[in-house]
Amino acid sequence: LLDRALTIAKQQKDKDAMADLYSKFAYARTRTAMGQFTQIEEDFHDGLRLAKETGVRIRESVVMSSLGYFYSNRGDYRSAEENLDYGMQVVRNMNNIETNYRWKVLKERVDEGKKYFPRIAQHIETLKNDPDDAAANVAFGWYLCIVKDNWQQGAKMLAKAPERALRELALLEIQQDSNLNRHLALADGWWAYAGDHEDETLIFEAAMQRARKWYMSVSAGLPDGIDRIRANKRLDAIDRLIGRLPDLETAAANRSR
């Protein structure tokens, strides 16, 4: 549908519609999933040119951040960082909390990728020869979970970890059901795991984010009692520890006063 809409916009030479379509994250993700890497790169550079021509700065920012995510998802951190440096100049004077947050998250992702996953290609080669190599499975598993946000595949690799706590959590993650007790065990487990890895910032934050996901999953379904109180208290604690997306509606209302 996006391809068709873009084709129509091109035929009608509607620059605003074209720039808007290029700026949609779904377009990047769809094309990336289909493996059309060369095409998407060309499309986003076209989109960036159109965004500049239409003079809508936030549209330009969205196109650029989409391109940044595209590069980081490919593991091309050098290109992502170059795009990031230029994009930060665009958003520096923009008073838009959502845009600033998007770029903050992108910067963190690029920094994490450069710092923690410089040898990911080497691990991939190791796994081709030895799919059960524990160190390569853990490294690539964390890469999938943290950088790619693909916990479904990443957990399968972390399940081969020599570390018992991580292995057991990964095995719980792999199970596909809506069992409330399993979800609570995951939440409590990731909370404890984060506490044991406070000196490893990236792992700590990933574990906390996973604990948040599962506490949010169970909080409404738990009966009144100690488990529900603990879940809600820990959700508040996680928000204080690693932050959360700002309340965009409240922020917008405050700016309009």
Side-chain angles (χ1 to χ4, degrees), residues 99-113:
T99 299
N100 291 335
Y101 184 81
R102 182 185 294 123
W103 280 95
K104 176 178 178 290
V105 171
L106 176 57
K107 185 179 187 309
E108 290 173 353
R109 175 174 291 198
V110 172
D111 289 345
E112 288 166 358

Side-chain angles (χ1 to χ4, degrees), residues 241-257:
L241 286 166
I242 64 172
R244 60 180 172 182
L245 179 65
D247 185 337
L248 302 179
E249 292 183 2
T250 301
N254 289 338
R255 286 199 305 272
S256 65
R257 290 175 182 170

Side-chain angles (χ1 to χ4, degrees), residues 121-133 136:
Q122 180 181 329
H123 293 309
I124 292 173
E125 287 301 314
T126 299
L127 290 169
K128 287 179 181 178
N129 298 319
D130 183 5
D132 293 321
D133 184 277

Side-chain angles (χ1 to χ4, degrees), residues 46-47 53 182:
D46 285 344
E53 289 180 7
R182 181 179 74 88

Side-chain angles (χ1 to χ4, degrees), residues 1 10 23 27 35 46 60 72 93 97 103-104 129 139 148 156 159 167 205 217-218 221-222 233 246 251:
L1 288 174
K10 286 180 177 179
S23 72
Y27 191 65
D46 285 344
E60 182 180 352
S72 65
N93 297 320
I97 193 168
W103 280 95
K104 176 178 178 290
N129 298 319
K148 297 286 191 175
K156 292 178 182 178
R167 185 173 64 251
E205 291 188 356
S217 174
V218 302
L222 288 171
K233 283 187 175 180

Side-chain angles (χ1 to χ4, degrees), residues 134-135 138 158 160-165 167:
V138 171
L158 295 179
K160 298 181 180 181
E163 183 186 3
R164 180 179 177 180
R167 185 173 64 251

Side-chain angles (χ1 to χ4, degrees), residues 116-232:
Y116 290 94
F117 305 108
R119 297 166 53 201
I120 205 65
Q122 180 181 329
H123 293 309
I124 292 173
E125 287 301 314
T126 299
L127 290 169
K128 287 179 181 178
N129 298 319
D130 183 5
D132 293 321
D133 184 277
N137 270 286
V138 171
F140 193 54
W142 277 124
Y143 172 80
L144 289 174
C145 292
I146 295 171
V147 177
K148 297 286 191 175
D149 195 27
N150 186 346
W151 282 83
Q152 184 176 7
Q153 293 300 318
K156 292 178 182 178
M157 307 191 82
L158 295 179
K160 298 181 180 181
E163 183 186 3
R164 180 179 177 180
L166 179 58
R167 185 173 64 251
E168 290 180 350
L169 281 168
L171 289 170
L172 276 176
E173 287 277 358
I174 292 170
Q175 296 178 30
Q176 300 288 325
D177 61 56
S178 56
N179 184 279
L180 194 67
N181 289 330
R182 181 179 74 88
H183 291 188
L184 183 58
L186 276 165
D188 288 339
W190 283 119
W191 171 272
Y193 192 83
D196 291 336
H197 294 78
E198 291 185 22
D199 58 337
E200 301 174 70
T201 303
L202 191 64
I203 303 302
F204 172 78
E205 291 188 356
M208 278 294 185
Q209 288 170 357
R210 209 61 186 168
R212 172 197 275 154
K213 168 187 166 58
W214 292 116
Y215 279 131
M216 290 182 69
S217 174
V218 302
S219 60
L222 288 171
D224 290 338
I226 190 169
D227 286 340
R228 187 169 187 174
I229 293 171
R230 182 176 74 255
N232 289 328

